[in-house]
Amino acid sequence: MLSTQLGLRPISNAPVPCKICDGPANLFGVVDMNRPCQIAHVPNAPLSGVPIYYRRCADCGFLFTDAFDDWSIEQFRTHIYNDGYEAVDPDYRIKRPTDNAAAIARFWGPHKAGMRVLDYGGGNDVLCAGLRAHGFGEAVTYDPMVPEHAARPEGKFDLVTCFETLEHVPDPLATIGAIAACVAEPGGVFYSTLTQPDDFDTQGMGWWYVGPRNGHISIYTKHALALAWNKFGFKTAPLNSGTHLAFKTLPPEWGLEEAPSAA
Protein backbone atom coordinates (compact mmCIF):
# COMPACT_ATOMS: atom_id res chain seq x y z
CA MET A 1 0.00 0.00 0.00
CA LEU A 2 1.06 3.61 -0.59
CA SER A 3 0.80 4.38 3.14
CA THR A 4 3.36 1.68 3.89
CA GLN A 5 5.67 2.86 1.11
CA LEU A 6 5.56 6.39 2.52
CA GLY A 7 6.42 5.18 6.02
CA LEU A 8 3.15 6.40 7.56
CA ARG A 9 2.20 4.98 10.93
CA PRO A 10 -0.45 2.22 10.62
CA ILE A 11 -3.92 3.27 11.74
CA SER A 12 -5.55 1.76 14.81
CA ASN A 13 -9.22 1.86 15.79
CA ALA A 14 -8.30 2.02 19.47
CA PRO A 15 -8.10 5.39 21.24
CA VAL A 16 -4.61 6.75 21.89
CA PRO A 17 -3.45 9.26 24.52
CA CYS A 18 -3.80 12.90 23.50
CA LYS A 19 -0.47 14.49 22.68
CA ILE A 20 -1.36 17.46 24.90
CA CYS A 21 -3.24 16.15 27.96
CA ASP A 22 -3.17 12.32 27.69
CA GLY A 23 -6.96 12.21 27.43
CA PRO A 24 -8.57 9.61 25.17
CA ALA A 25 -8.29 10.54 21.48
CA ASN A 26 -10.53 8.50 19.21
CA LEU A 27 -10.61 8.55 15.44
CA PHE A 28 -12.49 11.67 14.32
CA GLY A 29 -12.23 11.92 10.55
CA VAL A 30 -10.18 11.31 7.44
CA VAL A 31 -8.97 13.33 4.44
CA ASP A 32 -6.76 12.57 1.47
CA MET A 33 -3.06 13.27 2.01
CA ASN A 34 -3.08 15.68 -0.92
CA ARG A 35 -5.84 17.87 0.50
CA PRO A 36 -4.62 21.49 0.75
CA CYS A 37 -5.92 23.99 3.29
CA GLN A 38 -7.30 26.62 0.95
CA ILE A 39 -8.72 24.56 -1.86
CA ALA A 40 -9.22 27.74 -3.91
CA HIS A 41 -5.44 27.91 -4.38
CA VAL A 42 -5.38 24.48 -6.03
CA PRO A 43 -8.99 23.70 -7.03
CA ASN A 44 -8.03 20.67 -9.09
CA ALA A 45 -5.62 19.05 -6.64
CA PRO A 46 -5.54 15.34 -7.53
CA LEU A 47 -6.26 12.75 -4.88
CA SER A 48 -3.23 10.81 -3.72
CA GLY A 49 -5.19 7.75 -2.65
CA VAL A 50 -3.52 7.94 0.79
CA PRO A 51 -5.99 8.44 3.65
CA ILE A 52 -4.84 10.51 6.63
CA TYR A 53 -6.86 9.84 9.76
CA TYR A 54 -7.17 12.49 12.46
CA ARG A 55 -8.02 11.96 16.12
CA ARG A 56 -9.68 14.34 18.55
CA CYS A 57 -9.18 14.41 22.30
CA ALA A 58 -12.36 14.01 24.31
CA ASP A 59 -10.94 16.20 27.08
CA CYS A 60 -9.12 19.19 25.52
CA GLY A 61 -10.41 18.99 21.93
CA PHE A 62 -6.96 18.80 20.33
CA LEU A 63 -7.19 17.42 16.77
CA PHE A 64 -4.17 15.60 15.40
CA THR A 65 -2.93 12.84 13.17
CA ASP A 66 -0.24 10.40 14.23
CA ALA A 67 0.29 9.25 10.63
CA PHE A 68 3.57 11.21 10.34
CA ASP A 69 4.92 10.51 13.83
CA ASP A 70 7.67 8.22 12.54
CA TRP A 71 8.84 10.53 9.76
CA SER A 72 12.29 12.08 9.67
CA ILE A 73 12.90 15.70 8.76
CA GLU A 74 14.06 14.49 5.35
CA GLN A 75 10.73 12.71 4.74
CA PHE A 76 8.84 15.90 5.55
CA ARG A 77 11.06 17.81 3.12
CA THR A 78 10.49 15.21 0.41
CA HIS A 79 6.74 14.76 0.68
CA ILE A 80 5.39 17.99 2.19
CA TYR A 81 7.88 20.89 2.05
CA ASN A 82 9.00 20.18 -1.49
CA ASP A 83 9.00 22.12 -4.75
CA GLY A 84 5.20 21.94 -4.90
CA TYR A 85 4.63 23.49 -1.48
CA GLU A 86 4.40 27.09 -2.65
CA ALA A 87 1.36 26.21 -4.79
CA VAL A 88 -0.63 25.33 -1.67
CA ASP A 89 0.72 28.21 0.45
CA PRO A 90 1.67 31.05 -1.90
CA ASP A 91 2.06 33.61 0.91
CA TYR A 92 4.62 31.72 2.97
CA ARG A 93 7.74 32.83 1.10
CA ILE A 94 7.41 36.63 0.98
CA LYS A 95 4.03 38.16 1.86
CA ARG A 96 3.36 36.57 5.25
CA PRO A 97 6.85 37.10 6.78
CA THR A 98 7.02 40.64 5.38
CA ASP A 99 3.62 41.53 6.86
CA ASN A 100 4.51 39.94 10.18
CA ALA A 101 7.81 41.82 10.36
CA ALA A 102 5.90 45.06 9.87
CA ALA A 103 3.47 44.12 12.67
CA ILE A 104 6.34 43.33 15.05
CA ALA A 105 8.08 46.59 14.16
CA ARG A 106 4.91 48.57 14.87
CA PHE A 107 4.47 47.11 18.34
CA TRP A 108 8.02 46.50 19.54
CA GLY A 109 9.72 49.27 17.58
CA PRO A 110 10.34 51.46 20.65
CA HIS A 111 12.46 48.67 22.18
CA LYS A 112 14.16 47.40 19.03
CA ALA A 113 17.72 48.59 19.61
CA GLY A 114 18.32 46.41 22.65
CA MET A 115 16.14 43.42 21.80
CA ARG A 116 17.24 39.92 20.86
CA VAL A 117 14.59 38.39 18.60
CA LEU A 118 14.41 34.76 17.49
CA ASP A 119 12.03 33.66 14.74
CA TYR A 120 11.34 29.99 15.49
CA GLY A 121 10.33 28.05 12.39
CA GLY A 122 11.16 31.12 10.33
CA GLY A 123 11.95 29.33 7.09
CA ASN A 124 13.75 31.66 4.71
CA ASP A 125 14.83 34.50 7.07
CA VAL A 126 12.60 37.05 5.31
CA LEU A 127 10.94 38.06 8.59
CA CYS A 128 14.24 38.58 10.40
CA ALA A 129 15.73 40.40 7.44
CA GLY A 130 12.75 42.74 7.66
CA LEU A 131 13.32 43.28 11.39
CA ARG A 132 17.00 43.99 10.85
CA ALA A 133 16.03 46.50 8.17
CA HIS A 134 13.63 48.10 10.69
CA GLY A 135 16.59 48.58 13.05
CA PHE A 136 16.23 45.69 15.48
CA GLY A 137 19.52 45.05 17.22
CA GLU A 138 19.47 41.28 16.68
CA ALA A 139 16.99 39.12 14.77
CA VAL A 140 17.90 35.54 13.87
CA THR A 141 16.06 32.63 12.26
CA TYR A 142 15.89 29.04 13.47
CA ASP A 143 14.18 26.35 11.42
CA PRO A 144 15.22 22.68 11.54
CA MET A 145 13.55 22.12 8.16
CA VAL A 146 15.87 24.60 6.43
CA PRO A 147 19.54 23.53 6.37
CA GLU A 148 20.99 27.05 6.39
CA HIS A 149 18.96 27.93 9.52
CA ALA A 150 18.96 24.54 11.25
CA ALA A 151 21.52 25.42 13.95
CA ARG A 152 19.79 26.52 17.14
CA PRO A 153 21.18 29.96 18.14
CA GLU A 154 22.72 30.20 21.59
CA GLY A 155 21.36 32.13 24.53
CA LYS A 156 17.98 33.54 25.49
CA PHE A 157 15.85 35.96 23.51
CA ASP A 158 13.65 38.81 24.69
CA LEU A 159 11.08 38.02 22.01
CA VAL A 160 10.54 34.71 20.25
CA THR A 161 8.21 34.76 17.27
CA CYS A 162 6.64 31.63 15.83
CA PHE A 163 4.22 32.13 12.96
CA GLU A 164 2.15 29.33 11.43
CA THR A 165 4.45 26.65 12.84
CA LEU A 166 2.75 24.83 15.72
CA GLU A 167 0.12 23.31 13.44
CA HIS A 168 2.94 21.64 11.48
CA VAL A 169 4.59 19.70 14.29
CA PRO A 170 3.96 16.02 15.14
CA ASP A 171 5.14 16.52 18.75
CA PRO A 172 3.62 19.79 19.97
CA LEU A 173 4.87 19.54 23.55
CA ALA A 174 8.46 19.01 22.43
CA THR A 175 8.22 22.04 20.14
CA ILE A 176 6.57 24.29 22.72
CA GLY A 177 9.17 23.18 25.27
CA ALA A 178 11.97 24.01 22.84
CA ILE A 179 10.47 27.46 22.21
CA ALA A 180 10.01 28.08 25.95
CA ALA A 181 13.68 27.25 26.54
CA CYS A 182 14.68 30.12 24.24
CA VAL A 183 12.76 32.83 26.09
CA ALA A 184 14.51 35.28 28.43
CA GLU A 185 12.92 36.17 31.74
CA PRO A 186 11.16 38.51 31.47
CA GLY A 187 10.27 37.97 27.84
CA GLY A 188 7.57 36.57 25.62
CA VAL A 189 6.51 34.55 22.61
CA PHE A 190 4.41 36.14 19.87
CA TYR A 191 2.98 33.30 17.83
CA SER A 192 0.20 32.36 15.47
CA THR A 193 -1.82 29.24 14.88
CA LEU A 194 -5.53 29.23 14.15
CA THR A 195 -7.67 27.65 16.87
CA GLN A 196 -10.78 25.63 16.20
CA PRO A 197 -13.91 27.74 15.63
CA ASP A 198 -16.94 27.52 17.89
CA ASP A 199 -18.81 25.46 15.30
CA PHE A 200 -15.99 22.99 14.72
CA ASP A 201 -18.24 20.09 15.79
CA THR A 202 -20.45 20.99 12.83
CA GLN A 203 -17.68 21.74 10.30
CA GLY A 204 -15.50 18.82 11.34
CA MET A 205 -12.95 17.76 8.76
CA GLY A 206 -14.51 20.22 6.31
CA TRP A 207 -12.88 23.13 8.14
CA TRP A 208 -10.45 24.73 5.71
CA TYR A 209 -7.47 24.75 8.10
CA VAL A 210 -7.25 20.95 8.20
CA GLY A 211 -4.91 20.12 5.32
CA PRO A 212 -2.15 17.52 5.41
CA ARG A 213 -0.74 18.74 2.08
CA ASN A 214 0.07 21.99 3.84
CA GLY A 215 1.54 20.06 6.76
CA HIS A 216 -1.33 21.01 9.09
CA ILE A 217 -1.29 17.98 11.35
CA SER A 218 -1.93 19.53 14.81
CA ILE A 219 -5.05 21.65 15.23
CA TYR A 220 -5.58 23.25 18.64
CA THR A 221 -8.36 24.54 20.79
CA LYS A 222 -7.65 27.52 23.05
CA HIS A 223 -7.87 25.11 25.98
CA ALA A 224 -5.31 22.73 24.45
CA LEU A 225 -2.88 25.59 23.85
CA ALA A 226 -3.26 26.79 27.44
CA LEU A 227 -2.60 23.29 28.77
CA ALA A 228 0.44 22.84 26.55
CA TRP A 229 2.13 26.12 27.52
CA ASN A 230 1.26 25.63 31.19
CA LYS A 231 3.35 22.45 31.24
CA PHE A 232 6.39 24.74 30.86
CA GLY A 233 5.23 27.37 33.32
CA PHE A 234 3.89 29.74 30.65
CA LYS A 235 0.56 31.47 30.28
CA THR A 236 -0.88 31.97 26.81
CA ALA A 237 -3.20 34.83 25.96
CA PRO A 238 -5.22 34.69 22.73
CA LEU A 239 -5.21 38.09 21.04
CA ASN A 240 -7.66 36.79 18.45
CA SER A 241 -8.51 33.36 16.98
CA GLY A 242 -5.10 33.04 15.36
CA THR A 243 -2.60 35.23 17.22
CA HIS A 244 -1.35 34.61 20.75
CA LEU A 245 1.14 35.79 23.36
CA ALA A 246 2.85 33.30 25.69
CA PHE A 247 4.95 34.33 28.69
CA LYS A 248 5.98 33.78 32.28
CA THR A 249 6.58 37.48 32.96
CA LEU A 250 6.28 40.22 30.36
CA PRO A 251 8.72 43.14 30.40
CA PRO A 252 6.72 46.01 31.93
CA GLU A 253 8.00 48.45 29.34
CA TRP A 254 6.23 46.54 26.56
CA GLY A 255 2.77 47.48 27.77
CA LEU A 256 -0.38 45.88 26.35
CA GLU A 257 -2.55 48.89 25.66
CA GLU A 258 -2.57 47.97 21.96
CA ALA A 259 -2.60 44.26 21.21
CA PRO A 260 -0.29 43.26 18.37
CA SER A 261 -1.67 41.35 15.43
CA ALA A 262 -0.10 39.22 12.73
CA ALA A 263 -1.09 37.81 9.38
Side-chain angles (χ1 to χ4, degrees):
M1 292 180 60
L2 286 175
S3 297
T4 302
Q5 294 172 10
L6 289 170
L8 300 178
R9 179 169 290 189
I11 192 64
S12 168
N13 290 326
V16 304
C18 172
K19 295 181 178 184
I20 300 292
C21 72
D22 289 328
N26 287 292
L27 292 177
F28 180 80
V30 59
V31 294
D32 187 81
M33 183 173 169
N34 208 36
R35 174 189 161 155
C37 287
Q38 299 208 39
I39 296 174
H41 289 159
V42 278
N44 299 314
L47 296 176
S48 69
V50 177
I52 302 298
Y53 288 86
Y54 284 71
R55 299 176 177 276
R56 196 180 189 208
C57 177
D59 292 342
C60 73
F62 181 54
L63 181 80
F64 65 96
T65 178
D66 51 13
F68 306 99
D69 283 10
D70 299 325
W71 269 18
S72 65
I73 288 178
E74 190 54 43
Q75 286 171 297
F76 276 104
R77 288 175 181 158
T78 299
H79 301 295
I80 302 293
Y81 309 112
N82 50 30
D83 290 343
Y85 186 77
E86 191 166 4
V88 298
D89 189 3
D91 292 341
Y92 94 94
R93 189 179 297 277
I94 300 297
K95 184 180 187 306
R96 186 182 302 126
T98 300
D99 290 348
N100 287 338
I104 294 164
R106 284 195 302 272
F107 190 72
W108 279 281
H111 321 292
K112 62 187 179 182
M115 287 185 73
R116 295 193 81 211
V117 181
L118 172 68
D119 188 27
Y120 194 104
N124 55 15
D125 199 49
V126 169
L127 186 148
C128 285
L131 293 182
R132 294 190 295 268
H134 279 290
F136 279 74
E138 183 176 0
V140 294
T141 298
Y142 170 63
D143 193 326
M145 292 288 177
V146 181
E148 55 267 40
H149 301 297
R152 162 46 169 109
E154 295 183 359
K156 304 282 187 176
F157 293 83
D158 305 295
L159 177 67
V160 178
T161 61
C162 181
F163 295 114
E164 296 302 299
T165 295
L166 291 183
E167 65 273 15
H168 293 260
V169 299
D171 189 342
L173 290 183
T175 300
I176 288 172
I179 295 170
C182 297
V183 184
E185 180 62 21
V189 184
F190 184 37
Y191 72 102
S192 72
T193 189
L194 199 58
T195 51
Q196 295 172 29
D198 292 339
D199 65 345
F200 183 76
D201 286 330
T202 300
Q203 292 195 53
M205 299 300 289
W207 188 41
W208 71 270
Y209 203 62
V210 181
R213 179 62 189 90
N214 284 69
H216 286 200
I217 57 179
S218 292
I219 310 295
Y220 305 83
T221 60
K222 292 183 178 69
H223 181 47
L225 280 176
L227 290 173
W229 283 100
N230 185 254
K231 288 180 182 291
F232 303 96
F234 278 63
K235 304 170 186 176
T236 185
L239 304 175
N240 53 48
S241 63
T243 308
H244 319 264
L245 199 62
F247 55 92
K248 288 183 178 179
T249 307
L250 288 174
E253 65 270 18
W254 284 6
L256 286 174
E257 293 81 8
E258 180 185 349
S261 60

